[in-house]
Amino acid sequence: MMKFWRKKSDAAQSSTASIVVDGARMSTGGRTKTRVVMTMAVFFGIYAAIAGRLVYLGFQDPESGGPPVSRVTASRPDIVDRNGQVLATDIKTASLFAEPKRIVDADEIIEKLSTVLPDLEVEQTYHKLKNGAGFVWLKRQLTPRQQADIMALGLPGIGFRTEKRRFYPGGPTASHILGLTNIDNKGIAGMEKYIDDNGLADLQASGLAVADDLQPVKLSIDIRVQHIVRDEVSQAMERYHAIAAGAVVLNVKTGEVLAMASVPDFDPNNPVNALDKDRLNRMSAGLYEMGSTFKSFTTAMALDSGKVTMQSRFDASRPITIGRRTIRDFHGKGRVLTVPEVFIYSSNIGSAKEADVVGIEGHREFLHRLGVLERMKTELPEVAKPTEPKVWKKVHSITVAFGHGVSTTPLQTAVGAAALMTGMLLPPTFLPRTEEEAQVAGKKVVTDYTVESMRYLYRLNATAPGGSGKRATVPGYRVGGKTGTAEKVINGRYSGSVRFNAFVAAFPMDDPQYIVLSIIDEPKPEKPGAGATAGFNAAPIVANIIRRSASMLGVKPDFSHEGEATLASTQ
């Protein structure tokens, strides 16, 4: 029995051992499975953290939160002239940025960048590179050569972003009309600002300003005529040793500005001096006493009142004294003058008496009716508000009659003169406008009799002996107009030697199509002994512009009516 038991006991022991071994196997398998699950959980956690970080970064501003993706600045539409010639367009350019967190040696970076960018602000750049930010601008709008040279340096933490900048193929040719954009391609002056203010800025803000969807903006400007106008005023400024000059060509039937220039100007591709005070757009943003060009409005006002006709006469034999002011003629005839003689001899006394016939209130009302004393409404943002006496007295009416005592812009003077040639006052525009659209936008301001008379007087002033507009004549184009020589106020007093000269002309005078107005500020005699009044400098500017541009404007020469206006026919 003991043996059985012993055997049985051995079997039991064997069985028990077997059970223990199986139990051990079961425990090891469970631990392995647990390790696998834990490892997978760790990896899932890591991937989730990475994904979450990516989502977070996706909502951050790339300029403040880290290195930006390469993207372009907001697109702008091309600007073209009336014939489709490109005046302004976008081009791609590279801008340099840094990631300060990745930069180890800021001094080395600055030293190497300075070899390519010598104008780099060292101290400012050093602070940028040491501020620990994720992204900073170093230099915007590099040239392709600068970008290539910087890339060759192989600097860590330095990169480029593709942007867009504005390019003006004509350089300064139409700078005051086109205006400027800032570093972010936003319009800040001229027609560029007008385009932003009329919908482009909203499109850019909403992300809808896509280059392929933007249609070109067409202007009324003819770049060929614009080039001629700028060339002539630039030459005149140099020839007459003046501080400034300018001119405008205006379509009298539509109010479209075909060309307008003011020098000194600036290059919008490199506008480092654009804000200098001497580079003001004098044609629309400069205020001046326009001198005897205002006698156009005085004579027209007298005729339009019905109290004066072309046969009326005014005694200009003696000066007019009012208060402390004595009104004299520059080249007085010392006798009674007819209305045409008052005009062509530019009589201050005769003009003052024309204004006196109409009266103070009628005088002021007429100038406001023609828009020369109202703030001009046009697309250009740079428009000055004319000045006039708060309370008009008789002395004001008398001096305003010959262009002293009120200030307006040359462009408004041209617009007022255009109204005298057609009878319709049309707000000037730098966008295309048809004659039908102009009729809707305009208003009748003077009678047909006034229009007919003023056309005659303009032509007479260029053809009659003694007329001040003779140097503005161009054979075949029947030019007429009026000079304006205004003494400038220096230290509170009118100076007899410092002048602001102007000439306003229309052509062809049998049916005027265009107004051309020129100005020249503080001109000197072209040569010793020569005159310095408007007939000697402002008038030739107009003649040269018409001679060079008339065919481009569609005006054909006609020699059959040369010299048709005569003074004898009015006496």
Side-chain angles (χ1 to χ4, degrees):
M1 296 224 8
M2 289 293 296
K3 190 176 180 179
F4 175 76
W5 177 86
R6 196 177 280 120
K7 287 183 178 177
K8 185 177 180 182
S9 178
D10 292 342
Q13 289 179 356
S14 176
S15 176
T16 301
S18 177
I19 292 172
V20 171
V21 170
D22 290 342
R25 286 175 183 159
M26 290 176 62
S27 176
T28 302
R31 286 198 297 273
T32 302
K33 185 175 181 180
T34 301
R35 290 192 191 99
V36 172
V37 171
M38 290 178 64
T39 301
M40 292 176 64
V42 170
F43 277 108
F44 277 124
I46 292 172
Y47 285 124
I50 293 173
R53 182 62 177 171
L54 290 174
V55 171
Y56 170 78
L57 291 175
F59 286 98
Q60 300 306 300
D61 180 0
E63 296 191 4
S64 60
V69 295
S70 180
R71 63 176 178 82
V72 295
T73 48
S75 297
R76 302 184 63 80
D78 286 353
I79 300 178
V80 300
D81 82 338
R82 65 187 304 109
N83 301 311
Q85 293 295 312
V86 175
L87 306 178
T89 190
D90 282 346
I91 60 172
K92 289 184 179 180
T93 184
S95 290
L96 180 68
F97 70 86
E99 302 170 66
K101 291 180 179 180
R102 295 181 54 203
I103 291 176
V104 178
D105 190 343
D107 292 319
E108 181 186 10
I109 295 290
I110 293 173
E111 182 180 352
K112 291 186 175 181
L113 284 177
S114 296
T115 62
V116 180
L117 305 172
D119 60 341
L120 191 70
E121 292 288 344
V122 174
E123 185 175 351
Q124 183 181 11
T125 304
Y126 181 82
H127 288 304
K128 285 182 177 182
L129 296 180
K130 298 295 286 185
N131 68 7
F135 169 80
V136 292
W137 284 119
L138 295 184
K139 183 73 172 179
R140 305 286 290 275
Q141 299 182 351
L142 302 172
T143 66
R145 178 63 180 270
Q146 288 173 328
Q147 182 185 14
D149 289 347
I150 293 172
M151 290 179 67
L153 296 175
L155 301 175
I158 298 295
F160 301 93
R161 170 184 283 185
T162 299
E163 295 191 292
K164 285 186 177 178
R165 65 167 292 184
R166 210 61 166 157
F167 175 64
Y168 302 88
T173 304
S175 56
H176 283 305
I177 297 173
L178 297 174
L180 287 170
T181 60
N182 63 14
I183 197 74
D184 294 312
N185 222 23
K186 306 289 186 183
I188 57 173
M191 293 302 293
E192 294 280 26
K193 187 175 190 304
Y194 169 80
I195 291 169
D196 275 48
D197 293 345
N198 283 268
L200 180 62
D202 294 334
L203 286 176
Q204 291 175 337
S206 61
L208 298 177
V210 180
D212 293 340
D213 296 335
L214 296 175
Q215 296 297 316
V217 175
K218 180 178 286 190
L219 303 187
S220 60
I221 302 303
D222 186 323
I223 193 60
R224 302 169 302 172
V225 180
Q226 178 69 27
H227 169 76
I228 291 169
V229 169
R230 183 181 181 275
D231 183 54
E232 287 297 334
V233 297
S234 298
Q235 289 187 48
M237 190 175 98
E238 182 178 353
R239 182 184 309 122
Y240 303 113
H241 314 287
I243 65 172
V248 61
V249 178
L250 183 74
N251 186 321
V252 303
K253 305 287 188 180
T254 64
E256 294 172 295
V257 177
L258 276 295
M260 186 180 75
S262 172
V263 293
D265 51 18
F266 59 91
D267 185 351
N269 294 312
N270 184 31
V272 292
N273 54 4
L275 297 180
D276 292 355
K277 63 179 182 180
D278 66 324
R279 296 176 192 277
L280 167 78
N281 178 8
R282 287 169 166 80
M283 300 306 294
S284 67
L287 290 175
Y288 304 98
E289 292 187 351
M290 294 299 295
S292 294
T293 57
F294 255 54
K295 291 173 183 173
S296 298
F297 307 134
T298 304
T299 299
M301 170 187 68
L303 294 169
D304 205 64
S305 69
K307 299 176 181 180
V308 173
T309 69
M310 292 287 278
Q311 288 71 41
S312 298
R313 295 171 179 267
F314 295 92
D315 185 0
S317 58
R318 289 189 285 284
I320 299 174
T321 300
I322 179 166
R324 297 181 179 179
R325 298 292 300 272
T326 300
I327 311 303
R328 296 182 173 87
D329 285 342
F330 187 63
H331 290 300
K333 300 299 179 181
R335 60 178 175 82
V336 174
L337 302 176
T338 64
V339 168
E341 287 178 324
V342 168
F343 192 80
I344 67 169
Y345 299 145
S346 201
S347 170
N348 294 338
I349 299 170
S351 297
K353 292 190 173 183
E354 287 177 342
D356 194 39
V357 169
V358 176
I360 298 171
E361 287 305 314
H363 192 178
R364 184 174 184 273
E365 184 277 330
F366 185 81
L367 293 181
H368 277 277
R369 192 197 315 167
L370 271 114
V372 293
L373 295 184
E374 301 283 350
R375 186 180 182 89
M376 184 169 54
K377 294 181 180 179
T378 189
E379 296 83 14
L380 279 189
E382 297 80 24
V383 173
K385 187 180 188 303
T387 62
E388 62 175 311
K390 289 184 178 179
V391 178
W392 279 48
K393 298 179 180 179
K394 187 171 183 177
V395 65
H396 299 129
S397 183
I398 287 175
T399 57
V400 170
F402 51 86
H404 282 192
V406 295
S407 297
T408 190
T409 68
L411 180 56
Q412 283 175 277
T413 306
V415 170
L420 301 183
M421 297 297 104
T422 64
M424 296 288 294
L425 178 65
L426 302 175
T429 181
F430 292 83
L431 300 174
R433 181 195 283 162
T434 65
E435 289 191 27
E436 292 73 22
E437 292 169 338
Q439 290 299 312
V440 175
K443 61 179 180 179
K444 184 81 170 176
V445 288
V446 294
T447 65
D448 292 342
Y449 173 73
T450 302
V451 169
E452 182 182 353
S453 299
M454 292 308 301
R455 289 181 181 183
Y456 170 79
L457 290 175
Y458 265 36
R459 183 59 179 156
L460 180 67
N461 195 40
T463 57
S468 60
K470 294 182 71 66
R471 289 179 176 84
T473 58
V474 181
Y477 291 105
R478 305 181 303 289
V479 180
K482 183 72 185 77
T483 52
T485 302
E487 297 175 346
K488 291 186 69 173
V489 176
I490 305 295
N491 297 324
R493 299 177 64 87
Y494 284 103
S495 169
S497 59
V498 183
R499 304 177 178 89
F500 179 87
N501 293 350
F503 190 86
V504 57
F507 78 102
M509 287 313 308
D510 52 323
D511 182 18
Q513 303 293 313
Y514 297 98
I515 288 285
V516 182
L517 181 143
S518 67
I519 62 169
I520 186 158
D521 197 355
E522 298 188 17
K524 312 296 186 300
E526 183 177 6
K527 49 190 175 183
T533 56
F536 288 93
N537 41 55
I541 296 173
V542 168
N544 292 339
I545 289 172
I546 294 173
R547 184 180 297 109
R548 295 175 61 183
S549 66
S551 60
M552 299 175 187
L553 294 169
V555 181
K556 296 180 180 180
D558 180 358
F559 299 94
S560 62
H561 302 288
E562 287 299 298
E564 71 280 7
T566 61
L567 183 60
S569 64
T570 67
Q571 296 179 327

